[in-house]
Amino acid sequence: MGPMLYFDNGNEAVGAFPLGTLSAVVSGDQIVTLYFGQGSVLHNVVLACADDASDAVAKSLIQALAPMEKFHQKMVTVADDQLSTYLVTGITGITSITPDVAAA
């Protein structure tokens, strides 16, 4: 399963998803969307990025997260707007955390 990936938008919206359920990282137009899920339960987190940085942020996230799958850290903070801490340079905030987008 690997570590839980933690997201906090600073507005009482918090989500944590197992790295092992990350199915896609997609970038474009100053955002990067991370898709999580297994079967019919799907989640996504949309990260805001600096101008013209979404492709670099996506690549940096993939490079940072890929080797973590085999480790068993308890939690990795990817984006925390409340503390202004981000796993990679170029993330400027969290746009949305959507649990089970299929049910929404």
Side-chain angles (χ1 to χ4, degrees), residues 14-18 21 34-45 96-104:
V14 172
F17 306 97
T21 64
L34 291 87
Y35 294 91
F36 299 90
Q38 292 179 324
S40 63
V41 179
L42 304 172
H43 318 285
N44 71 35
V45 176
S96 65
I97 301 170
T98 308
D100 198 2
V101 293

Side-chain angles (χ1 to χ4, degrees), residues 47 53 80 83 89:
L47 303 174
D80 187 333
L83 298 176
T89 302

Side-chain angles (χ1 to χ4, degrees), residues 17-28:
F17 306 97
L19 175 59
T21 64
L22 179 64
S23 60
V25 177
V26 180
S27 69

Side-chain angles (χ1 to χ4, degrees), residues 29-31 49-57 90:
D29 199 21
Q30 285 90 33
I31 63 168
C49 303
D51 285 343
D52 299 321
S54 59
D55 55 345
V57 168

